[in-house]
Amino acid sequence: MGFRWFKMILGVLVVSILLSQYSCVYGEAPQVPCFFIFGDSLVDSGNNNYLPTLAKVNYLPYGVDFPIGATGRFCNGRTTVDILAELLGFKKPIPPFATTWGLVILRGLNYASGAAGIRAESGTEMGVNVNLDQQLRNHHVTVLRIASILRHKALALKYLNKCFYFMGIGNNDYINNYFQTQYFNTSRIYTLEQYASVLIEQYSQQIMTLYSYGARKVALVGVAPIGNATEPFNEKLRALVDKLNADLEDAQFIYVNASSVSRPADFKVPNISCCAVNELGLCNPFEPICQNRSDYALWDSFHPTEAANIASAGRAYSSQDPSDTYPMDISHLVQLSL
């Protein structure tokens, strides 16, 4: 018993010292001790750079407005989660899992992967991606590493309970699965309503896996509108939030309405990409790009500009309309004492 208490006290001291060092170096500590990100190309920060896939963008003009240039972000600058990290008080972006190790993992990691989906096969017509099941396995590795750093599993779980978790995935289960009939047969097996149910069933199990790893403050982002095709999924996801909150009294889940927080119509150029794109809808390297990027909602055929990300992150963090988030926004979620 004495040794176990010693290990716990040592872990508490490690956390206290690290938080103190963070405050000294970067100023005031963030609102949450760590921020973990799961998703697809909308929030990928470089995990696909070394994978054999067409879904990677570690070349200019991607990153033209990012401080260190092209990093693998599918954007001219910061993604939604980069901006959310700033709003939460982090002084640096949350780094990608693929190239990050050491004590910095205590501040969180980004597991997102371009073309990834809820289903393992989604996006694989473009090559290898890190699907959500694998992202969760990667997070389990992180959990074990944090337990090792803190010298105590229970202390690590308590630490992870305080973190913020962002899950934005499902787009590729439609655009790079259901609607890619030459590669996948899901549209021949399921109606859109049935497919939404199948996705939500699998997603709910994946969310419970994340919960088992200590997640207690979780934002679930809906899928972008594709006509009316994704409405059943988003409706079921919002209902899942209610169920999770009813079943798990020590956790809080929120729904972020992608179509509400992202409003291309607010921009002067709402539906034309800023860069010249290839057959995949990604920017061509070494070709001219628009100069007035803050006027554009779209960077390439699928991904928002930094200006659009600033707007959507702001509404997800502090909702401007009741339809933006449910049952609360991110700023209120992270302040909860659970």
Side-chain angles (χ1 to χ4, degrees), residues 25 33 60 63 104 117 126 150 179 197 284 319:
V25 174
L60 290 172
V104 70
M126 302 181 73
L150 301 184
F179 294 121
S197 296
N284 288 320
S319 60

PDB file of all heavy atoms in Angstrom, residues 25 33 60 63 104 117 126 150 179 197 284 319:
ATOM      1  N   VAL A  25       6.172  28.908 -19.228  1.00  0.00           N
ATOM      2  CA  VAL A  25       6.646  29.074 -20.599  1.00  0.00           C
ATOM      3  C   VAL A  25       5.611  29.788 -21.462  1.00  0.00           C
ATOM      4  O   VAL A  25       5.935  30.686 -22.236  1.00  0.00           O
ATOM      5  CB  VAL A  25       7.004  27.706 -21.224  1.00  0.00           C
ATOM      6  CG1 VAL A  25       7.354  27.861 -22.705  1.00  0.00           C
ATOM      7  CG2 VAL A  25       8.166  27.078 -20.465  1.00  0.00           C
ATOM      8  N   PRO A  33      -6.623  20.321 -19.505  1.00  0.00           N
ATOM      9  CA  PRO A  33      -5.215  19.939 -19.539  1.00  0.00           C
ATOM     10  C   PRO A  33      -4.781  19.346 -20.868  1.00  0.00           C
ATOM     11  O   PRO A  33      -3.597  19.415 -21.218  1.00  0.00           O
ATOM     12  CB  PRO A  33      -5.091  18.905 -18.409  1.00  0.00           C
ATOM     13  CG  PRO A  33      -6.480  18.367 -18.231  1.00  0.00           C
ATOM     14  CD  PRO A  33      -7.394  19.515 -18.526  1.00  0.00           C
ATOM     15  N   LEU A  60       2.922  22.746 -51.079  1.00  0.00           N
ATOM     16  CA  LEU A  60       2.285  24.028 -51.366  1.00  0.00           C
ATOM     17  C   LEU A  60       1.402  23.882 -52.598  1.00  0.00           C
ATOM     18  O   LEU A  60       1.692  23.074 -53.472  1.00  0.00           O
ATOM     19  CB  LEU A  60       3.359  25.091 -51.600  1.00  0.00           C
ATOM     20  CG  LEU A  60       4.158  25.500 -50.358  1.00  0.00           C
ATOM     21  CD1 LEU A  60       5.318  26.404 -50.760  1.00  0.00           C
ATOM     22  CD2 LEU A  60       3.264  26.207 -49.346  1.00  0.00           C
ATOM     23  N   GLY A  63      -1.017  25.143 -46.758  1.00  0.00           N
ATOM     24  CA  GLY A  63      -0.162  25.738 -45.738  1.00  0.00           C
ATOM     25  C   GLY A  63       0.432  27.081 -46.115  1.00  0.00           C
ATOM     26  O   GLY A  63       1.287  27.603 -45.395  1.00  0.00           O
ATOM     27  N   VAL A 104       5.174  15.886 -24.362  1.00  0.00           N
ATOM     28  CA  VAL A 104       4.215  16.765 -25.041  1.00  0.00           C
ATOM     29  C   VAL A 104       2.869  16.074 -25.256  1.00  0.00           C
ATOM     30  O   VAL A 104       1.837  16.748 -25.393  1.00  0.00           O
ATOM     31  CB  VAL A 104       4.795  17.254 -26.386  1.00  0.00           C
ATOM     32  CG1 VAL A 104       4.877  16.119 -27.396  1.00  0.00           C
ATOM     33  CG2 VAL A 104       3.970  18.396 -26.949  1.00  0.00           C
ATOM     34  N   GLY A 117     -12.917   7.086 -42.233  1.00  0.00           N
ATOM     35  CA  GLY A 117     -14.330   7.052 -41.895  1.00  0.00           C
ATOM     36  C   GLY A 117     -14.609   6.204 -40.674  1.00  0.00           C
ATOM     37  O   GLY A 117     -13.691   5.660 -40.040  1.00  0.00           O
ATOM     38  N   MET A 126      -8.568   5.520 -52.277  1.00  0.00           N
ATOM     39  CA  MET A 126      -7.492   6.494 -52.453  1.00  0.00           C
ATOM     40  C   MET A 126      -6.166   6.006 -51.882  1.00  0.00           C
ATOM     41  O   MET A 126      -5.136   6.647 -52.080  1.00  0.00           O
ATOM     42  CB  MET A 126      -7.882   7.824 -51.791  1.00  0.00           C
ATOM     43  CG  MET A 126      -9.160   8.423 -52.332  1.00  0.00           C
ATOM     44  SD  MET A 126      -9.579   9.995 -51.563  1.00  0.00           S
ATOM     45  CE  MET A 126      -8.352  11.061 -52.292  1.00  0.00           C
ATOM     46  N   LEU A 150       2.874   9.276 -15.758  1.00  0.00           N
ATOM     47  CA  LEU A 150       2.327   9.682 -14.459  1.00  0.00           C
ATOM     48  C   LEU A 150       2.530   8.635 -13.369  1.00  0.00           C
ATOM     49  O   LEU A 150       2.171   8.864 -12.216  1.00  0.00           O
ATOM     50  CB  LEU A 150       0.839  10.014 -14.597  1.00  0.00           C
ATOM     51  CG  LEU A 150       0.492  11.134 -15.580  1.00  0.00           C
ATOM     52  CD1 LEU A 150      -0.992  11.440 -15.552  1.00  0.00           C
ATOM     53  CD2 LEU A 150       1.300  12.392 -15.286  1.00  0.00           C
ATOM     54  N   PHE A 179     -21.378   6.736 -51.993  1.00  0.00           N
ATOM     55  CA  PHE A 179     -21.574   7.314 -53.321  1.00  0.00           C
ATOM     56  C   PHE A 179     -20.470   6.952 -54.311  1.00  0.00           C
ATOM     57  O   PHE A 179     -20.482   7.442 -55.445  1.00  0.00           O
ATOM     58  CB  PHE A 179     -21.722   8.834 -53.215  1.00  0.00           C
ATOM     59  CG  PHE A 179     -22.971   9.263 -52.487  1.00  0.00           C
ATOM     60  CD1 PHE A 179     -22.906  10.033 -51.346  1.00  0.00           C
ATOM     61  CD2 PHE A 179     -24.220   8.868 -52.954  1.00  0.00           C
ATOM     62  CE1 PHE A 179     -24.066  10.406 -50.677  1.00  0.00           C
ATOM     63  CE2 PHE A 179     -25.382   9.241 -52.294  1.00  0.00           C
ATOM     64  CZ  PHE A 179     -25.302  10.017 -51.148  1.00  0.00           C
ATOM     65  N   SER A 197     -28.411   4.183 -39.855  1.00  0.00           N
ATOM     66  CA  SER A 197     -28.554   3.355 -38.649  1.00  0.00           C
ATOM     67  C   SER A 197     -27.334   2.464 -38.441  1.00  0.00           C
ATOM     68  O   SER A 197     -26.851   2.308 -37.320  1.00  0.00           O
ATOM     69  CB  SER A 197     -29.822   2.494 -38.749  1.00  0.00           C
ATOM     70  OG  SER A 197     -30.985   3.293 -38.791  1.00  0.00           O
ATOM     71  N   ASN A 284      -3.740  21.752 -57.111  1.00  0.00           N
ATOM     72  CA  ASN A 284      -2.567  21.437 -57.904  1.00  0.00           C
ATOM     73  C   ASN A 284      -1.357  22.194 -57.355  1.00  0.00           C
ATOM     74  O   ASN A 284      -1.480  23.374 -57.006  1.00  0.00           O
ATOM     75  CB  ASN A 284      -2.773  21.854 -59.361  1.00  0.00           C
ATOM     76  CG  ASN A 284      -3.749  20.960 -60.087  1.00  0.00           C
ATOM     77  OD1 ASN A 284      -3.740  19.746 -59.899  1.00  0.00           O
ATOM     78  ND2 ASN A 284      -4.599  21.554 -60.915  1.00  0.00           N
ATOM     79  N   SER A 319     -21.763  29.246 -29.324  1.00  0.00           N
ATOM     80  CA  SER A 319     -22.833  29.194 -30.325  1.00  0.00           C
ATOM     81  C   SER A 319     -23.521  30.550 -30.470  1.00  0.00           C
ATOM     82  O   SER A 319     -23.740  31.269 -29.497  1.00  0.00           O
ATOM     83  CB  SER A 319     -23.851  28.120 -29.967  1.00  0.00           C
ATOM     84  OG  SER A 319     -24.435  28.384 -28.714  1.00  0.00           O
TER      85      SER A 319
END
